[in-house]
Amino acid sequence: MRKEPPSVLLITASSPDIQRVRSTRVLNFQQITMPYLAAFLPRHWTVRHVDEVATRVDPGLAADLVAITFHTPSAPHAYATADRFRQRGSTVVLGGPHVTLLPDEAQAHADAIFIGEAEETWPEFLADFEAGRHRARYFSPSAPSLRGVPAARQELFHRRDHTAGVLFASRGCPYRCDFCSVAVMYRGKLRRRPVDEVASEYASFRGKVVILWDDNIVADRAYAKELFRALARHGKWWSSQASIHAADDEELLELAARSGCKQLFVGLESITQASMDGVSKGFNRVRDYARAIRRIHAHGIAVQAGIVFGFDHDRPGVFAETLDFLEEVGVQNATFNMLTPFPGTPLHERLMAEGRILTRDWSRFNGRKHVVFRPLHMSAEALQAGFDYANRRFYSLNSIRRRLSRSPVGLFWTLPLNLAYRFALGRADSPAQ
C-alpha cells in the first residue's frame, strides 16, 4: 500500500505535426476526456492536466502516474511521450480512440491500457494502483451506465476556445457508417445521461456559450426534446453535432432554437448519393439536403456542414460541384476532410484488402495534409489539390458574400468567423509559414 497520496499527470496529447495541420482552425474546442476522468479521482490525489493544444508537456515533470489520451494522428507522438515517462520511473497508462482500435500496438508503450469506455474500469484501476498492483489491460465488456457520472472538473479546462465550457448529454450513435470510428468505439450503442444531471452541469458554466460534445444530439428525438426543454430555462447558447434527420422534426427544431441552439454540425459528407450508399450512410438522402438546410435555417440555426472528399464515386468534378451546392444553399460554415480510413473501421479493412492503403504512419492520418490511400477515380495528388481548392474557395470573399447573403442566420457572428478562417488560411499559405 502507498503511504503518500499519489500524484497523477493527465495528458491530452496533440503532436506538433497535427498542430501545424490544424493551424487554420479558428476554433479548437476543449477536449473533455481528461477533465472528465479527473472527476473520478479520489480527492486526496494530486492532479495536473496538460492539454497540448494549449501548452507542451514539460519532460521534467514528475508524477507517480501518467495517463495519456490521444487520437490516431498523434499516436507516434503519444507513444514517444509515454516511453520517456516510463524510462523515468512513472507508471504510464494509455487510452482513447486509437488505443481501443489498436490495443496490441498501444500495449508496447504502456504499463496498462484502457479499451473502450472507462466509467467502470478507470475507478477500478485507480483502486488497484493505490493498492500497489494493477492489470495490463482494462476492458468493460458491456456499455457502462451514464447515470450519476460526475461533472468534468472545469478548472482543468485550458483551451481558449471562446466558450464557457463543454459537456456531453449522450454518447454514441445508432448508425454504423463504414468510415466512422465512433461506430467501432461504441459498437453502435447510444446512451443517455439523465436530463436533470445534464441540465445541472450545463447551468454551472459561467458564460453564455456551451458546446454539447455529443456524437449525435438528435439520435433519440424524444430524449433530445426533453433535454432542450430543460436547457431552455438557463438562457445560454449551445452548439452540437446532429444527423440530417434533425430537419425531419419541426417540433424538435423549434425546441432546439428556443433552448439556445445557434449552430448544428451536420455530417452531409457528400453530395453524391452513390458515395453515401457505398459507405453505409444511405440514410443521408442527397436530394433532401437543400430542403433540410432550409428548414434548419428557418429556425434561426446556422449549419456547419461536414464534407468528406475521396469516396470511391468521387471524380475530379466533385470539388466544384460541392462548393456550388454549399454556396447555393447558404451554408454558414463547413469542415472539409479527405477520406481517412482509420484503423479498425470497415473502410480500413476493405481498402487494406484491396491493397489501397499507402502508409501505416499514423501521423499522416490527419485528413487534411496527407492522402493515405489510393483513390479510385483520381490521383492522390488530385484529391489533395481538390481539398485545398475547396478550402480556399469556401473562405474566399466572393463565397462568403454569396453564402451569407443567401441565408444571413447569425450574421453577427458567422461573418467574423468566416473572415477569421479566411485570414488563418491566408497566413498558413504565406511563404513565412
Side-chain angles (χ1 to χ4, degrees):
M1 298 290 289
R2 294 178 177 272
K3 295 181 179 180
E4 297 296 327
S7 60
V8 58
L9 172 62
L10 306 175
I11 300 175
T12 300
S14 185
S15 71
D17 286 344
I18 198 66
Q19 293 287 28
R20 285 189 288 272
V21 167
R22 294 176 177 171
S23 63
T24 58
R25 292 177 64 172
V26 175
L27 299 177
N28 276 300
F29 295 128
Q30 176 70 52
Q31 293 291 314
I32 197 173
T33 300
M34 286 315 194
Y36 174 59
L37 291 183
F40 289 85
L41 289 167
R43 282 295 174 178
H44 65 281
W45 283 45
T46 301
V47 58
R48 179 169 184 170
H49 174 220
V50 175
D51 183 341
E52 290 196 295
V53 170
T55 186
R56 307 314 305 174
V57 174
D58 179 354
L61 288 175
D64 299 314
L65 174 65
V66 177
I68 307 174
T69 186
F70 57 96
H71 294 273
T72 294
S74 288
H77 167 74
Y79 291 154
T81 301
D83 293 344
R84 286 196 299 272
F85 277 104
R86 293 181 81 192
Q87 290 168 3
R88 297 183 59 224
S90 296
T91 298
V92 174
V93 299
L94 301 178
H98 191 80
V99 176
T100 293
L101 296 172
L102 291 177
D104 291 341
E105 176 188 282
Q107 188 77 72
H109 303 275
D111 297 291
I113 62 171
F114 292 84
I115 302 172
E117 300 168 77
E119 277 81 5
E120 295 172 353
T121 54
W122 176 239
E124 181 184 2
F125 165 79
L126 295 175
D128 289 347
F129 183 78
E130 276 206 282
R133 51 176 172 74
H134 62 79
R135 302 196 306 274
R137 291 193 178 193
Y138 288 80
F139 170 68
S140 180
S142 59
S145 169
L146 299 181
R147 180 175 296 276
V149 299
R153 291 177 59 172
Q154 295 178 28
E155 75 274 15
L156 298 182
F157 290 168
H158 299 317
R159 298 188 192 181
R160 296 180 179 178
D161 59 3
H162 308 286
T163 73
V166 297
L167 76 160
F168 71 96
S170 63
R171 181 184 295 160
C173 180
Y175 304 113
R176 292 180 176 270
C177 306
D178 287 355
F179 59 93
C180 182
S181 58
V182 168
V184 180
M185 282 280 294
Y186 304 127
R187 304 188 289 280
K189 296 182 183 297
L190 174 70
R191 266 79 39 66
R192 312 146 193 86
R193 293 176 63 192
V195 165
D196 60 334
E197 295 179 15
V198 178
S200 176
E201 183 175 0
Y202 182 83
S204 72
F205 291 110
R206 297 181 178 179
K208 186 74 171 178
V209 181
V210 176
I211 302 300
L212 287 162
W213 205 250
D214 290 45
D215 301 303
N216 183 355
I217 192 71
V218 302
D220 180 335
R221 293 189 200 176
Y223 172 82
K225 291 176 183 179
E226 182 185 357
L227 175 67
F228 299 160
R229 291 187 183 100
L231 299 185
R233 64 178 66 101
H234 299 295
K236 298 181 186 295
W237 296 350
W238 62 267
S239 176
S240 191
Q241 299 182 103
S243 68
I244 194 72
H245 302 99
D248 296 338
D249 192 321
E250 286 289 339
E251 182 189 27
L252 182 143
L253 289 176
E254 178 63 27
L255 289 170
R258 288 181 182 176
S259 70
C261 178
K262 295 302 179 185
Q263 178 171 269
L264 289 174
F265 178 99
V266 180
L268 301 181
E269 318 303 359
S270 175
I271 61 166
T272 304
Q273 188 61 52
S275 291
M276 295 292 83
D277 295 340
V279 292
S280 302
K281 199 166 183 173
F283 55 83
N284 264 25
R285 307 307 299 172
V286 173
R287 65 173 181 267
D288 296 331
Y289 280 3
R291 178 187 61 85
I293 292 169
R294 285 195 298 269
R295 294 181 82 174
I296 296 171
H297 283 165
H299 289 272
I301 300 171
V303 172
Q304 180 175 359
I307 299 294
V308 177
F309 295 119
F311 292 111
D312 280 355
H313 293 274
D314 283 355
R315 297 177 185 275
V318 71
F319 307 104
E321 292 165 6
T322 300
L323 269 292
D324 288 346
F325 171 79
L326 296 177
E327 291 171 1
E328 180 67 26
V329 297
V331 164
Q332 282 76 21
N333 295 291
T335 298
F336 300 104
N337 282 284
M338 294 182 291
L339 186 65
T340 304
F342 289 108
T345 62
L347 175 67
H348 186 274
E349 298 307 310
R350 176 170 66 81
L351 295 184
M352 278 290 289
E354 295 172 2
R356 294 169 58 192
I357 300 292
L358 300 176
T359 180
R360 284 180 63 86
D361 178 354
W362 303 129
S363 68
R364 301 174 73 87
F365 280 60
N366 53 63
R368 289 177 172 85
K369 288 296 184 184
H370 301 97
V371 180
V372 295
F373 73 104
R374 188 169 65 253
L376 200 57
H377 293 299
M378 67 182 82
S379 66
E381 292 76 16
L383 175 54
Q384 181 72 64
F387 167 82
D388 293 338
Y389 156 82
N391 278 281
R392 289 194 304 271
R393 175 173 160 183
F394 189 82
Y395 289 109
S396 68
L397 290 177
N398 187 52
S399 179
I400 293 171
R401 177 193 59 78
R402 187 179 184 198
R403 289 184 288 105
L404 300 190
S405 64
R406 288 180 180 274
S407 183
V409 172
L411 188 62
F412 72 96
W413 65 267
T414 58
L415 177 57
L417 182 60
N418 273 262
L419 294 175
Y421 271 107
R422 172 178 168 77
F423 174 76
L425 283 165
R427 185 177 55 189
D429 289 340
S430 68
Q433 297 294 315

